Amino acid sequence: MLIVFIGPPGAGKGTQAQRLASHLNVPHLSTGEMLRDAEESGTELGRKAAAFMKNGQLAPDELVVKIIGQRIEQPDCARGCLFDGFPRTINQAEELDRQLSLDQRALDLVLELHVEEDELVRRLLRRAKHADKPRADDTPEAIPKRLEVYRSLTQPVLEYYRARGLLREINGQGTPEQVFARIRDAVETRQSS
Ligand code: AMP
């Protein structure tokens, strides 16, 4: 299955996406992780992306599309994969559809992990305060910016997928186990349809 996982910062997307990928036994493709790895390796792409990441801004579409385009061509993605944190703009969503269609493939499901904004702010502030190794974009100053970026650029992506009948909203409140059970149900419903 080809699944996209979308959620605002602080919704618990990373943890749940990782868990779903291992449950389905498909690669977990997190563009955030790929960009941080590229930054640590000191590649040019990593250096370019880092300047945006530290301000809570999105990296340029062409950088992210390039990195994900190379990754989905790898043989381990032939059975499917889980996109985490990608696409984050309409342009990225269109590019992903285009790249998949070149291989006669298409997305099966888009999951939106939904958490109310005041709860997100509480979680992000707690994370910024307690992180032993805070990431540059986890600072209290970057929080409003990241939420605003999500609202203005990523929420339209949800509409893009809703219009194509691919979107399932998952309630992200509750224990990680409760949230994962909802995700598993949504995936099983899609698999049996
Ligand atoms: P994440 O770990 O998914 O929260 O991503 C961390 C940061 O990486 C984001 O705040 C962006 O700066 C950058 N990033 C990750 N994925 C994308 C994407 N699909 N498009 C643009 N920037 C991204």
Side-chain angles (χ1 to χ4, degrees):
M1 279 187 112
L2 289 167
I3 303 180
V4 164
F5 212 117
I6 300 181
K13 175 175 61 72
T15 317
Q16 295 291 346
Q18 211 152 20
R19 198 161 162 182
L20 180 59
S22 56
H23 175 74
L24 295 172
N25 198 20
V26 294
H28 171 216
L29 272 46
S30 155
T31 41
E33 235 164 68
M34 291 178 194
L35 294 173
R36 284 189 288 279
D37 286 349
E39 183 188 356
E40 270 167 37
S41 326
T43 63
E44 195 194 335
L45 189 150
R47 268 199 307 276
K48 279 191 190 152
F52 295 90
M53 292 168 79
K54 80 169 182 294
N55 297 319
Q57 285 174 292
L58 293 187
D61 286 339
E62 58 277 16
L63 279 189
V64 186
V65 165
K66 186 168 168 203
I67 209 169
I68 207 90
Q70 289 168 347
R71 184 64 186 87
I72 55 179
E73 292 301 320
Q74 302 294 310
D76 63 340
C77 291
R79 276 189 49 248
C81 64
L82 181 65
F83 298 97
D84 169 4
F86 176 89
R88 265 175 153 101
T89 64
I90 296 271
N91 185 22
Q92 292 179 15
E94 288 171 346
E95 273 299 311
L96 179 61
D97 279 348
R98 202 182 57 77
Q99 294 215 10
L100 291 174
S101 70
L102 293 176
D103 296 326
Q104 270 97 51
R105 306 178 84 189
L107 292 174
D108 296 289
L109 179 65
V110 176
L111 298 170
E112 176 205 356
L113 192 57
H114 188 86
V115 175
E116 294 303 327
E117 197 162 315
D118 49 352
E119 170 66 13
L120 292 174
V121 173
R122 269 198 297 277
R123 291 188 192 182
L124 288 166
L125 283 172
R126 215 179 312 138
R127 189 157 97 186
K129 200 161 136 205
H130 296 295
D132 346 314
K133 263 203 326 186
R135 284 177 6 203
D137 59 0
D138 251 351
T139 58
E141 297 71 38
I143 294 171
K145 178 72 195 163
R146 292 179 73 198
L147 290 173
E148 160 56 19
V149 165
Y150 184 79
R151 223 181 292 123
S152 58
L153 296 174
T154 308
Q155 274 181 348
V157 178
L158 300 176
E159 296 314 314
Y160 177 91
Y161 288 130
R162 199 191 310 278
R164 286 159 179 74
L166 288 169
L167 187 72
R168 295 290 170 278
E169 184 183 313
I170 307 289
N171 173 2
Q173 311 263 13
T175 65
E177 285 65 35
Q178 287 167 332
V179 175
F180 187 68
R182 294 175 196 137
I183 293 172
R184 217 182 34 213
D185 280 353
V187 172
E188 280 166 13
T189 305
R190 178 67 187 88
Q191 277 171 329
S192 61
S193 68

